[in-house]
Amino acid sequence: MNVSVVIPCYNEEDVLPESYRRFTQVMSSTSYEYELLFVNDGSKDRTESLLLSFAEQDKHVKVLSFSRNFGHQNAVTAGLQHCSGDITVIIDADLQDPPEVIPQMIETYLREKSNVVYAVRNKREGESFGKLLTAKVYYRMLNYLSDYTFPVDTGDFRLIDRKVLDTFKRFPEKHKYLRGLFSWMGFKQTPFYYDRHERAAGKTKYSIRKMFALASIGIFGFSKKPLKLAISLGTLSIFIAIIIALWIFYNIFFCAGSVVPGWASTIITILFLGGIQLFTIGILGEYIGNIFDETKNRPEYIIDKMINFDTDK
Ligand code: UDP
Ligand code: MG
């Protein structure tokens, strides 16, 4: 059995030598053939040269290097589209997800005869309170909004078999929320519980902006409820407007003179309706933006270098 390990890397020079050592140690201790497929996502530090030096002395290492930073999900997608294993493990470069559990995940895969083994975080060490809280709230909100139920506390760390990988390769969509797509696909999925560690070195490469972008791909890619929210808000505002109108008529007819023809009610109504309109236009904008990106049909990533593949570039 061949095992591919897909590892996206963005500015990971601090951690890469240690990661390479641990990945190699773990994979060579198993009886399986393996490849370590590193995807350099347009790093600006020494990540690429480190990867090239690993690849030079070790044929297990394959390197895809992007022409610029295309983002984590695209880096993983590229790795998946270029790996050759019977099973593939997706894992971060920063050793937060310990490579030592990969053999146990393979064991679970064989024992359960499952198609996907997804890693679920028991514990998360060394992550800020803000990150843990937003993650908790977000995954639960996604489950509420979406028509599918996604496992919570699960990232992209998972093992997938050929069948799932081949299915994935047929997906034409560009804005990929991988963890969502894999669980949406179905097949036999088994959880694998593990403790998530602190980053071995370096800082998180997920800026707040990138985190929001990923979160919005998840929600707008898997839920149409925000569109329905626009209808509910519109209905609510019409209802409130009718009540205010009735109140004004009542005052005019029965409490003559008590209604000061004031601007307050006018302004409140304008602001309220204006807010709802902008909000709903924003929601529409998100979906239209996604449609726009999909119709342009640009590639999700551009590969600059390919090392140790059958056809190097
Ligand atoms: N990463 C990437 N491209 C990016 C951002 C991150 O390939 O634009 C990689 C990064 O090198 C790491 C993985 O994605 O291997 C997860 O990123 P990170 O550990 O910084 O995220 P966190 O664990 O803090 O959520
Ligand atoms: Mg990390």
mmCIF file with all atom_site columns, all heavy atoms in Angstrom, residues 12 92-97 121 127 131 196-201 203-206, ligand 2:
data_model
loop_
_atom_site.group_PDB
_atom_site.id
_atom_site.type_symbol
_atom_site.label_atom_id
_atom_site.label_alt_id
_atom_site.label_comp_id
_atom_site.label_asym_id
_atom_site.label_entity_id
_atom_site.label_seq_id
_atom_site.pdbx_PDB_ins_code
_atom_site.Cartn_x
_atom_site.Cartn_y
_atom_site.Cartn_z
_atom_site.occupancy
_atom_site.B_iso_or_equiv
_atom_site.pdbx_formal_charge
_atom_site.auth_seq_id
_atom_site.auth_comp_id
_atom_site.auth_asym_id
_atom_site.auth_atom_id
_atom_site.pdbx_PDB_model_num
ATOM   1   N  N   . GLU A 1 12  ? 7.213   28.520 6.518  1.00 0.00 ? 12  GLU A N   1
ATOM   2   C  CA  . GLU A 1 12  ? 7.408   27.588 7.631  1.00 0.00 ? 12  GLU A CA  1
ATOM   3   C  C   . GLU A 1 12  ? 8.879   27.256 7.865  1.00 0.00 ? 12  GLU A C   1
ATOM   4   O  O   . GLU A 1 12  ? 9.205   26.181 8.355  1.00 0.00 ? 12  GLU A O   1
ATOM   5   C  CB  . GLU A 1 12  ? 6.615   26.292 7.404  1.00 0.00 ? 12  GLU A CB  1
ATOM   6   C  CG  . GLU A 1 12  ? 5.100   26.451 7.336  1.00 0.00 ? 12  GLU A CG  1
ATOM   7   C  CD  . GLU A 1 12  ? 4.452   26.741 8.687  1.00 0.00 ? 12  GLU A CD  1
ATOM   8   O  OE1 . GLU A 1 12  ? 5.165   26.993 9.671  1.00 0.00 ? 12  GLU A OE1 1
ATOM   9   O  OE2 . GLU A 1 12  ? 3.198   26.753 8.740  1.00 0.00 ? 12  GLU A OE2 1
ATOM   10  N  N   . ASP A 1 92  ? -0.989  19.490 8.590  1.00 0.00 ? 92  ASP A N   1
ATOM   11  C  CA  . ASP A 1 92  ? -0.278  20.769 8.563  1.00 0.00 ? 92  ASP A CA  1
ATOM   12  C  C   . ASP A 1 92  ? 1.219   20.559 8.772  1.00 0.00 ? 92  ASP A C   1
ATOM   13  O  O   . ASP A 1 92  ? 1.639   19.547 9.344  1.00 0.00 ? 92  ASP A O   1
ATOM   14  C  CB  . ASP A 1 92  ? -0.800  21.692 9.673  1.00 0.00 ? 92  ASP A CB  1
ATOM   15  C  CG  . ASP A 1 92  ? -2.210  22.172 9.397  1.00 0.00 ? 92  ASP A CG  1
ATOM   16  O  OD1 . ASP A 1 92  ? -2.688  21.954 8.266  1.00 0.00 ? 92  ASP A OD1 1
ATOM   17  O  OD2 . ASP A 1 92  ? -2.820  22.762 10.308 1.00 0.00 ? 92  ASP A OD2 1
ATOM   18  N  N   . ALA A 1 93  ? 1.982   21.573 8.363  1.00 0.00 ? 93  ALA A N   1
ATOM   19  C  CA  . ALA A 1 93  ? 3.436   21.461 8.479  1.00 0.00 ? 93  ALA A CA  1
ATOM   20  C  C   . ALA A 1 93  ? 3.933   21.760 9.887  1.00 0.00 ? 93  ALA A C   1
ATOM   21  O  O   . ALA A 1 93  ? 5.047   21.421 10.249 1.00 0.00 ? 93  ALA A O   1
ATOM   22  C  CB  . ALA A 1 93  ? 4.092   22.438 7.505  1.00 0.00 ? 93  ALA A CB  1
ATOM   23  N  N   . ASP A 1 94  ? 3.072   22.400 10.722 1.00 0.00 ? 94  ASP A N   1
ATOM   24  C  CA  . ASP A 1 94  ? 3.588   22.970 11.964 1.00 0.00 ? 94  ASP A CA  1
ATOM   25  C  C   . ASP A 1 94  ? 3.627   22.002 13.143 1.00 0.00 ? 94  ASP A C   1
ATOM   26  O  O   . ASP A 1 94  ? 3.926   22.411 14.260 1.00 0.00 ? 94  ASP A O   1
ATOM   27  C  CB  . ASP A 1 94  ? 2.774   24.212 12.340 1.00 0.00 ? 94  ASP A CB  1
ATOM   28  C  CG  . ASP A 1 94  ? 1.305   23.888 12.537 1.00 0.00 ? 94  ASP A CG  1
ATOM   29  O  OD1 . ASP A 1 94  ? 0.931   22.707 12.427 1.00 0.00 ? 94  ASP A OD1 1
ATOM   30  O  OD2 . ASP A 1 94  ? 0.524   24.822 12.797 1.00 0.00 ? 94  ASP A OD2 1
ATOM   31  N  N   . LEU A 1 95  ? 3.313   20.717 12.907 1.00 0.00 ? 95  LEU A N   1
ATOM   32  C  CA  . LEU A 1 95  ? 3.374   19.667 13.929 1.00 0.00 ? 95  LEU A CA  1
ATOM   33  C  C   . LEU A 1 95  ? 2.338   19.853 15.039 1.00 0.00 ? 95  LEU A C   1
ATOM   34  O  O   . LEU A 1 95  ? 2.437   19.228 16.081 1.00 0.00 ? 95  LEU A O   1
ATOM   35  C  CB  . LEU A 1 95  ? 4.782   19.572 14.545 1.00 0.00 ? 95  LEU A CB  1
ATOM   36  C  CG  . LEU A 1 95  ? 5.895   19.281 13.535 1.00 0.00 ? 95  LEU A CG  1
ATOM   37  C  CD1 . LEU A 1 95  ? 7.253   19.348 14.208 1.00 0.00 ? 95  LEU A CD1 1
ATOM   38  C  CD2 . LEU A 1 95  ? 5.703   17.907 12.897 1.00 0.00 ? 95  LEU A CD2 1
ATOM   39  N  N   . GLN A 1 96  ? 1.345   20.730 14.797 1.00 0.00 ? 96  GLN A N   1
ATOM   40  C  CA  . GLN A 1 96  ? 0.248   20.827 15.776 1.00 0.00 ? 96  GLN A CA  1
ATOM   41  C  C   . GLN A 1 96  ? -0.523  19.511 15.785 1.00 0.00 ? 96  GLN A C   1
ATOM   42  O  O   . GLN A 1 96  ? -0.994  19.068 16.821 1.00 0.00 ? 96  GLN A O   1
ATOM   43  C  CB  . GLN A 1 96  ? -0.696  21.963 15.388 1.00 0.00 ? 96  GLN A CB  1
ATOM   44  C  CG  . GLN A 1 96  ? -0.233  23.301 15.867 1.00 0.00 ? 96  GLN A CG  1
ATOM   45  C  CD  . GLN A 1 96  ? -1.354  24.320 15.770 1.00 0.00 ? 96  GLN A CD  1
ATOM   46  O  OE1 . GLN A 1 96  ? -1.731  24.718 14.677 1.00 0.00 ? 96  GLN A OE1 1
ATOM   47  N  NE2 . GLN A 1 96  ? -1.884  24.720 16.899 1.00 0.00 ? 96  GLN A NE2 1
ATOM   48  N  N   . ASP A 1 97  ? -0.657  18.957 14.596 1.00 0.00 ? 97  ASP A N   1
ATOM   49  C  CA  . ASP A 1 97  ? -1.246  17.630 14.474 1.00 0.00 ? 97  ASP A CA  1
ATOM   50  C  C   . ASP A 1 97  ? -0.064  16.662 14.448 1.00 0.00 ? 97  ASP A C   1
ATOM   51  O  O   . ASP A 1 97  ? 0.714   16.667 13.509 1.00 0.00 ? 97  ASP A O   1
ATOM   52  C  CB  . ASP A 1 97  ? -2.031  17.508 13.167 1.00 0.00 ? 97  ASP A CB  1
ATOM   53  C  CG  . ASP A 1 97  ? -3.027  18.641 13.010 1.00 0.00 ? 97  ASP A CG  1
ATOM   54  O  OD1 . ASP A 1 97  ? -3.611  19.056 14.020 1.00 0.00 ? 97  ASP A OD1 1
ATOM   55  O  OD2 . ASP A 1 97  ? -3.188  19.118 11.877 1.00 0.00 ? 97  ASP A OD2 1
ATOM   56  N  N   . ARG A 1 121 ? -10.296 16.838 17.481 1.00 0.00 ? 121 ARG A N   1
ATOM   57  C  CA  . ARG A 1 121 ? -9.435  17.355 18.545 1.00 0.00 ? 121 ARG A CA  1
ATOM   58  C  C   . ARG A 1 121 ? -10.063 17.162 19.905 1.00 0.00 ? 121 ARG A C   1
ATOM   59  O  O   . ARG A 1 121 ? -11.117 17.702 20.195 1.00 0.00 ? 121 ARG A O   1
ATOM   60  C  CB  . ARG A 1 121 ? -9.194  18.840 18.314 1.00 0.00 ? 121 ARG A CB  1
ATOM   61  C  CG  . ARG A 1 121 ? -8.534  19.119 16.997 1.00 0.00 ? 121 ARG A CG  1
ATOM   62  C  CD  . ARG A 1 121 ? -8.987  20.434 16.411 1.00 0.00 ? 121 ARG A CD  1
ATOM   63  N  NE  . ARG A 1 121 ? -8.353  20.639 15.102 1.00 0.00 ? 121 ARG A NE  1
ATOM   64  C  CZ  . ARG A 1 121 ? -8.571  21.705 14.342 1.00 0.00 ? 121 ARG A CZ  1
ATOM   65  N  NH1 . ARG A 1 121 ? -9.393  22.644 14.729 1.00 0.00 ? 121 ARG A NH1 1
ATOM   66  N  NH2 . ARG A 1 121 ? -7.957  21.811 13.189 1.00 0.00 ? 121 ARG A NH2 1
ATOM   67  N  N   . GLU A 1 127 ? -3.443  27.454 22.056 1.00 0.00 ? 127 GLU A N   1
ATOM   68  C  CA  . GLU A 1 127 ? -4.172  28.323 21.150 1.00 0.00 ? 127 GLU A CA  1
ATOM   69  C  C   . GLU A 1 127 ? -4.926  29.351 21.975 1.00 0.00 ? 127 GLU A C   1
ATOM   70  O  O   . GLU A 1 127 ? -5.386  29.057 23.078 1.00 0.00 ? 127 GLU A O   1
ATOM   71  C  CB  . GLU A 1 127 ? -5.105  27.512 20.253 1.00 0.00 ? 127 GLU A CB  1
ATOM   72  C  CG  . GLU A 1 127 ? -4.300  26.758 19.203 1.00 0.00 ? 127 GLU A CG  1
ATOM   73  C  CD  . GLU A 1 127 ? -5.161  25.942 18.253 1.00 0.00 ? 127 GLU A CD  1
ATOM   74  O  OE1 . GLU A 1 127 ? -5.673  24.899 18.687 1.00 0.00 ? 127 GLU A OE1 1
ATOM   75  O  OE2 . GLU A 1 127 ? -5.303  26.342 17.103 1.00 0.00 ? 127 GLU A OE2 1
ATOM   76  N  N   . LYS A 1 131 ? -9.314  32.297 19.628 1.00 0.00 ? 131 LYS A N   1
ATOM   77  C  CA  . LYS A 1 131 ? -9.361  31.331 18.531 1.00 0.00 ? 131 LYS A CA  1
ATOM   78  C  C   . LYS A 1 131 ? -10.271 30.150 18.882 1.00 0.00 ? 131 LYS A C   1
ATOM   79  O  O   . LYS A 1 131 ? -11.086 29.702 18.089 1.00 0.00 ? 131 LYS A O   1
ATOM   80  C  CB  . LYS A 1 131 ? -7.947  30.831 18.210 1.00 0.00 ? 131 LYS A CB  1
ATOM   81  C  CG  . LYS A 1 131 ? -7.911  29.818 17.101 1.00 0.00 ? 131 LYS A CG  1
ATOM   82  C  CD  . LYS A 1 131 ? -6.832  30.093 16.114 1.00 0.00 ? 131 LYS A CD  1
ATOM   83  C  CE  . LYS A 1 131 ? -7.004  29.215 14.894 1.00 0.00 ? 131 LYS A CE  1
ATOM   84  N  NZ  . LYS A 1 131 ? -6.085  29.538 13.835 1.00 0.00 ? 131 LYS A NZ  1
ATOM   85  N  N   . ARG A 1 196 ? -4.458  17.966 20.164 1.00 0.00 ? 196 ARG A N   1
ATOM   86  C  CA  . ARG A 1 196 ? -3.752  18.894 19.287 1.00 0.00 ? 196 ARG A CA  1
ATOM   87  C  C   . ARG A 1 196 ? -2.728  19.659 20.114 1.00 0.00 ? 196 ARG A C   1
ATOM   88  O  O   . ARG A 1 196 ? -3.030  20.163 21.178 1.00 0.00 ? 196 ARG A O   1
ATOM   89  C  CB  . ARG A 1 196 ? -4.742  19.870 18.648 1.00 0.00 ? 196 ARG A CB  1
ATOM   90  C  CG  . ARG A 1 196 ? -4.123  20.642 17.518 1.00 0.00 ? 196 ARG A CG  1
ATOM   91  C  CD  . ARG A 1 196 ? -5.195  21.298 16.671 1.00 0.00 ? 196 ARG A CD  1
ATOM   92  N  NE  . ARG A 1 196 ? -4.724  21.446 15.303 1.00 0.00 ? 196 ARG A NE  1
ATOM   93  C  CZ  . ARG A 1 196 ? -4.672  22.622 14.672 1.00 0.00 ? 196 ARG A CZ  1
ATOM   94  N  NH1 . ARG A 1 196 ? -5.056  23.718 15.266 1.00 0.00 ? 196 ARG A NH1 1
ATOM   95  N  NH2 . ARG A 1 196 ? -4.240  22.671 13.437 1.00 0.00 ? 196 ARG A NH2 1
ATOM   96  N  N   . HIS A 1 197 ? -1.501  19.715 19.608 1.00 0.00 ? 197 HIS A N   1
ATOM   97  C  CA  . HIS A 1 197 ? -0.426  20.361 20.371 1.00 0.00 ? 197 HIS A CA  1
ATOM   98  C  C   . HIS A 1 197 ? -0.252  21.805 19.969 1.00 0.00 ? 197 HIS A C   1
ATOM   99  O  O   . HIS A 1 197 ? -0.881  22.303 19.051 1.00 0.00 ? 197 HIS A O   1
ATOM   100 C  CB  . HIS A 1 197 ? 0.876   19.593 20.148 1.00 0.00 ? 197 HIS A CB  1
ATOM   101 C  CG  . HIS A 1 197 ? 0.798   18.186 20.640 1.00 0.00 ? 197 HIS A CG  1
ATOM   102 N  ND1 . HIS A 1 197 ? 0.748   17.887 21.976 1.00 0.00 ? 197 HIS A ND1 1
ATOM   103 C  CD2 . HIS A 1 197 ? 0.711   17.007 19.987 1.00 0.00 ? 197 HIS A CD2 1
ATOM   104 C  CE1 . HIS A 1 197 ? 0.648   16.562 22.112 1.00 0.00 ? 197 HIS A CE1 1
ATOM   105 N  NE2 . HIS A 1 197 ? 0.616   16.015 20.911 1.00 0.00 ? 197 HIS A NE2 1
ATOM   106 N  N   . GLU A 1 198 ? 0.725   22.390 20.651 1.00 0.00 ? 198 GLU A N   1
ATOM   107 C  CA  . GLU A 1 198 ? 1.114   23.739 20.305 1.00 0.00 ? 198 GLU A CA  1
ATOM   108 C  C   . GLU A 1 198 ? 1.948   23.675 19.031 1.00 0.00 ? 198 GLU A C   1
ATOM   109 O  O   . GLU A 1 198 ? 2.561   22.648 18.746 1.00 0.00 ? 198 GLU A O   1
ATOM   110 C  CB  . GLU A 1 198 ? 1.990   24.257 21.453 1.00 0.00 ? 198 GLU A CB  1
ATOM   111 C  CG  . GLU A 1 198 ? 1.883   25.717 21.695 1.00 0.00 ? 198 GLU A CG  1
ATOM   112 C  CD  . GLU A 1 198 ? 2.579   26.061 23.018 1.00 0.00 ? 198 GLU A CD  1
ATOM   113 O  OE1 . GLU A 1 198 ? 2.438   25.274 23.979 1.00 0.00 ? 198 GLU A OE1 1
ATOM   114 O  OE2 . GLU A 1 198 ? 3.248   27.066 23.052 1.00 0.00 ? 198 GLU A OE2 1
ATOM   115 N  N   . ARG A 1 199 ? 1.982   24.754 18.275 1.00 0.00 ? 199 ARG A N   1
ATOM   116 C  CA  . ARG A 1 199 ? 2.865   24.854 17.124 1.00 0.00 ? 199 ARG A CA  1
ATOM   117 C  C   . ARG A 1 199 ? 4.308   24.577 17.539 1.00 0.00 ? 199 ARG A C   1
ATOM   118 O  O   . ARG A 1 199 ? 4.752   25.113 18.550 1.00 0.00 ? 199 ARG A O   1
ATOM   119 C  CB  . ARG A 1 199 ? 2.787   26.285 16.627 1.00 0.00 ? 199 ARG A CB  1
ATOM   120 C  CG  . ARG A 1 199 ? 2.666   26.388 15.176 1.00 0.00 ? 199 ARG A CG  1
ATOM   121 C  CD  . ARG A 1 199 ? 2.473   27.828 14.790 1.00 0.00 ? 199 ARG A CD  1
ATOM   122 N  NE  . ARG A 1 199 ? 1.863   27.859 13.478 1.00 0.00 ? 199 ARG A NE  1
ATOM   123 C  CZ  . ARG A 1 199 ? 2.544   27.639 12.373 1.00 0.00 ? 199 ARG A CZ  1
ATOM   124 N  NH1 . ARG A 1 199 ? 3.841   27.434 12.424 1.00 0.00 ? 199 ARG A NH1 1
ATOM   125 N  NH2 . ARG A 1 199 ? 1.929   27.610 11.209 1.00 0.00 ? 199 ARG A NH2 1
ATOM   126 N  N   . ALA A 1 200 ? 5.055   23.757 16.786 1.00 0.00 ? 200 ALA A N   1
ATOM   127 C  CA  . ALA A 1 200 ? 6.422   23.431 17.189 1.00 0.00 ? 200 ALA A CA  1
ATOM   128 C  C   . ALA A 1 200 ? 7.316   24.665 17.094 1.00 0.00 ? 200 ALA A C   1
ATOM   129 O  O   . ALA A 1 200 ? 8.231   24.839 17.889 1.00 0.00 ? 200 ALA A O   1
ATOM   130 C  CB  . ALA A 1 200 ? 6.964   22.298 16.338 1.00 0.00 ? 200 ALA A CB  1
ATOM   131 N  N   . ALA A 1 201 ? 7.094   25.501 16.111 1.00 0.00 ? 201 ALA A N   1
ATOM   132 C  CA  . ALA A 1 201 ? 7.881   26.733 15.973 1.00 0.00 ? 201 ALA A CA  1
ATOM   133 C  C   . ALA A 1 201 ? 7.144   27.672 15.036 1.00 0.00 ? 201 ALA A C   1
ATOM   134 O  O   . ALA A 1 201 ? 6.262   27.254 14.303 1.00 0.00 ? 201 ALA A O   1
ATOM   135 C  CB  . ALA A 1 201 ? 9.270   26.425 15.424 1.00 0.00 ? 201 ALA A CB  1
ATOM   136 N  N   . LYS A 1 203 ? 4.897   31.224 13.936 1.00 0.00 ? 203 LYS A N   1
ATOM   137 C  CA  . LYS A 1 203 ? 3.589   31.765 14.349 1.00 0.00 ? 203 LYS A CA  1
ATOM   138 C  C   . LYS A 1 203 ? 2.509   31.270 13.385 1.00 0.00 ? 203 LYS A C   1
ATOM   139 O  O   . LYS A 1 203 ? 2.815   30.786 12.304 1.00 0.00 ? 203 LYS A O   1
ATOM   140 C  CB  . LYS A 1 203 ? 3.634   33.293 14.302 1.00 0.00 ? 203 LYS A CB  1
ATOM   141 C  CG  . LYS A 1 203 ? 4.362   33.908 15.491 1.00 0.00 ? 203 LYS A CG  1
ATOM   142 C  CD  . LYS A 1 203 ? 3.888   35.345 15.754 1.00 0.00 ? 203 LYS A CD  1
ATOM   143 C  CE  . LYS A 1 203 ? 4.193   36.291 14.624 1.00 0.00 ? 203 LYS A CE  1
ATOM   144 N  NZ  . LYS A 1 203 ? 5.497   36.925 14.651 1.00 0.00 ? 203 LYS A NZ  1
ATOM   145 N  N   . THR A 1 204 ? 1.247   31.437 13.795 1.00 0.00 ? 204 THR A N   1
ATOM   146 C  CA  . THR A 1 204 ? 0.162   31.012 12.908 1.00 0.00 ? 204 THR A CA  1
ATOM   147 C  C   . THR A 1 204 ? 0.225   31.763 11.577 1.00 0.00 ? 204 THR A C   1
ATOM   148 O  O   . THR A 1 204 ? 0.561   32.943 11.545 1.00 0.00 ? 204 THR A O   1
ATOM   149 C  CB  . THR A 1 204 ? -1.220  31.212 13.564 1.00 0.00 ? 204 THR A CB  1
ATOM   150 O  OG1 . THR A 1 204 ? -2.217  30.867 12.606 1.00 0.00 ? 204 THR A OG1 1
ATOM   151 C  CG2 . THR A 1 204 ? -1.452  32.646 14.006 1.00 0.00 ? 204 THR A CG2 1
ATOM   152 N  N   . LYS A 1 205 ? -0.074  31.065 10.488 1.00 0.00 ? 205 LYS A N   1
ATOM   153 C  CA  . LYS A 1 205 ? -0.056  31.693 9.172  1.00 0.00 ? 205 LYS A CA  1
ATOM   154 C  C   . LYS A 1 205 ? -1.475  32.065 8.749  1.00 0.00 ? 205 LYS A C   1
ATOM   155 O  O   . LYS A 1 205 ? -1.709  32.518 7.648  1.00 0.00 ? 205 LYS A O   1
ATOM   156 C  CB  . LYS A 1 205 ? 0.578   30.741 8.141  1.00 0.00 ? 205 LYS A CB  1
ATOM   157 C  CG  . LYS A 1 205 ? 1.984   30.275 8.515  1.00 0.00 ? 205 LYS A CG  1
ATOM   158 C  CD  . LYS A 1 205 ? 2.934   31.452 8.657  1.00 0.00 ? 205 LYS A CD  1
ATOM   159 C  CE  . LYS A 1 205 ? 4.329   31.089 9.098  1.00 0.00 ? 205 LYS A CE  1
ATOM   160 N  NZ  . LYS A 1 205 ? 4.476   30.434 10.374 1.00 0.00 ? 205 LYS A NZ  1
ATOM   161 N  N   . TYR A 1 206 ? -2.406  31.806 9.660  1.00 0.00 ? 206 TYR A N   1
ATOM   162 C  CA  . TYR A 1 206 ? -3.791  32.166 9.383  1.00 0.00 ? 206 TYR A CA  1
ATOM   163 C  C   . TYR A 1 206 ? -4.081  33.529 9.992  1.00 0.00 ? 206 TYR A C   1
ATOM   164 O  O   . TYR A 1 206 ? -4.356  33.628 11.187 1.00 0.00 ? 206 TYR A O   1
ATOM   165 C  CB  . TYR A 1 206 ? -4.751  31.111 9.945  1.00 0.00 ? 206 TYR A CB  1
ATOM   166 C  CG  . TYR A 1 206 ? -5.330  30.251 8.858  1.00 0.00 ? 206 TYR A CG  1
ATOM   167 C  CD1 . TYR A 1 206 ? -4.762  29.042 8.523  1.00 0.00 ? 206 TYR A CD1 1
ATOM   168 C  CD2 . TYR A 1 206 ? -6.430  30.690 8.138  1.00 0.00 ? 206 TYR A CD2 1
ATOM   169 C  CE1 . TYR A 1 206 ? -5.274  28.269 7.495  1.00 0.00 ? 206 TYR A CE1 1
ATOM   170 C  CE2 . TYR A 1 206 ? -6.946  29.928 7.119  1.00 0.00 ? 206 TYR A CE2 1
ATOM   171 C  CZ  . TYR A 1 206 ? -6.369  28.716 6.801  1.00 0.00 ? 206 TYR A CZ  1
ATOM   172 O  OH  . TYR A 1 206 ? -6.884  27.965 5.782  1.00 0.00 ? 206 TYR A OH  1
HETATM 173 MG MG  . MG  B 2 .   ? -1.281  25.360 12.886 1.00 0.00 ? 2   MG  B MG  1
#
